[in-house]
């Protein structure tokens, strides 16, 4: 009776670890050296096992970073109504946001035009990270007219939600006026936040959201990780 190849035994062990939640979506597996030491084999055997998992779509390698558990892409609809937490929850995942920076500065020409301001008018800027089951799926920058919403930054810090912050400032609802999608390559900073290699594909979304009277309330730029999210266009 022939013995099961060692690499298959290692692959089966790692598959079980992933299935039982010892390694979750986005987690980095032990290094080849660590796995070699754990199983008492050479690195070539470990590489064969990892290649098997990669072929099954369970893991993917990032040059210079290691081997990571492959996450199922998050379905994210882009429709008329902008509701991040609702969209992520509908995909069966736990939504999350991380504030990277809250600042006030002069609007650039693109921001001023989108928000109906003069170049140089003050805007509040919210830089953040969007998460699904703890995995970063997008970095974003939301820009708000400071003159209309002087307390926006405090409201964002208190609620960590654009929807709730705007509601607290007298905007009961807002919708998407327009959105442009463009393929890009991740910058070094974006790659760091999204846990992808520098230059990896990202989808850039640029858009304006308006209040029920059609007045601009938010100009947003979002960079979605290409392998972490699937964008769908709809009317929601």
């Amino acid at each position: 009776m022939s013995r099961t190849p060692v690499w298959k035994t290692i692959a089966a062990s790692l598959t079980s670890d992933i299935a039982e939640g010892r390694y979750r979506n986005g987690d980095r597996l032990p290094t080849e050296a660590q796995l070699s030491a754990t199983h008492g084999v050479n690195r070539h055997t470990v590489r064969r096992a990892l290649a098997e998992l990669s072929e099954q779509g369970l893991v993917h390698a990032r040059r210079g970073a290691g081997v990571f558990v492959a996450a199922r892409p998050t379905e994210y609809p882009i429709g008329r109504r902008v509701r991040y937490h609702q969209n992520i929850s509908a995909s069966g995942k736990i939504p999350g946001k991380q504030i990277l920076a809250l600042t006030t500065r002069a609007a650039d020409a693109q921001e001023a035009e989108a928000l109906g301001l003069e170049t140089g008018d003050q805007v509040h800027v919210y830089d953040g990270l969007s998460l699904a089951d703890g995995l970063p799926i997008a970095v974003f920058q939301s820009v708000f007219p400071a003159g209309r919403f002087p307390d926006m930054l405090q409201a964002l810090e208190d609620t960590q939600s654009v929807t709730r912050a705007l509601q607290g400032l007298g905007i009961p609802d807002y919708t998407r006026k327009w959105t442009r999608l463009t393929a890009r390559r991740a910058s070094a900073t974006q790659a760091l936040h999204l846990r992808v290699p520098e230059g990896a594909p990202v989808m850039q979304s640029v858009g304006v959201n308006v209040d029920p009277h059609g007045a601009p309330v938010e100009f947003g730029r979002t960079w979605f990780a290409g392998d972490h999210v699937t964008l769908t266009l709809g009317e929601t």
Side-chain angles (χ1 to χ4, degrees), residues 115-133:
L115 294 172
L117 306 175
E118 297 293 330
T119 301
D121 283 355
Q122 292 291 288
V123 291
H124 294 315
V125 183
Y126 171 20
D127 289 289
L129 188 62
S130 298
L131 310 168
D133 281 352

Side-chain angles (χ1 to χ4, degrees), residues 6 47 68 94 96 104 125-126 144 163 174 186-187 203 231 233:
V6 176
R47 289 192 194 106
F68 295 78
I94 299 172
T104 301
V125 183
Y126 171 20
F144 308 90
T163 298
Y174 64 99
S187 68
M203 183 62 70
L231 302 178
L233 302 179

Side-chain angles (χ1 to χ4, degrees), residues 156-217:
L156 286 169
E157 188 170 359
D158 292 342
T159 65
Q160 298 195 27
S161 164
V162 170
T163 298
R164 292 199 298 272
L166 286 173
Q167 287 173 345
L169 297 173
I171 307 298
D173 192 21
Y174 64 99
T175 54
R176 191 185 306 273
K177 182 179 181 181
W178 57 263
T179 298
R180 299 191 192 98
L181 297 175
T182 309
R184 302 286 188 188
R185 295 287 181 181
S187 68
T189 301
Q190 291 165 354
L192 178 65
H193 288 309
L194 294 173
R195 304 180 196 172
V196 299
E198 183 176 353
V202 295
M203 183 62 70
Q204 181 189 47
S205 167
V206 178
V208 170
N209 298 322
V210 297
D211 66 16
H213 302 290
V217 295

Side-chain angles (χ1 to χ4, degrees), residues 74-78 82 84 87-88 130 136-140 176 179-186 190 194 196 200-206 221-232:
T74 299
E75 294 282 341
Y76 190 83
I78 294 181
V82 188
Y84 174 76
N87 289 343
I88 297 301
S130 298
I137 64 169
V139 289
F140 64 87
R176 191 185 306 273
T179 298
R180 299 191 192 98
L181 297 175
T182 309
R184 302 286 188 188
R185 295 287 181 181
Q190 291 165 354
L194 294 173
V196 299
V202 295
M203 183 62 70
Q204 181 189 47
S205 167
V206 178
R221 304 177 181 95
T222 303
W223 296 268
F224 293 94
D227 60 350
H228 293 173
V229 66
T230 299
L231 302 178
T232 58

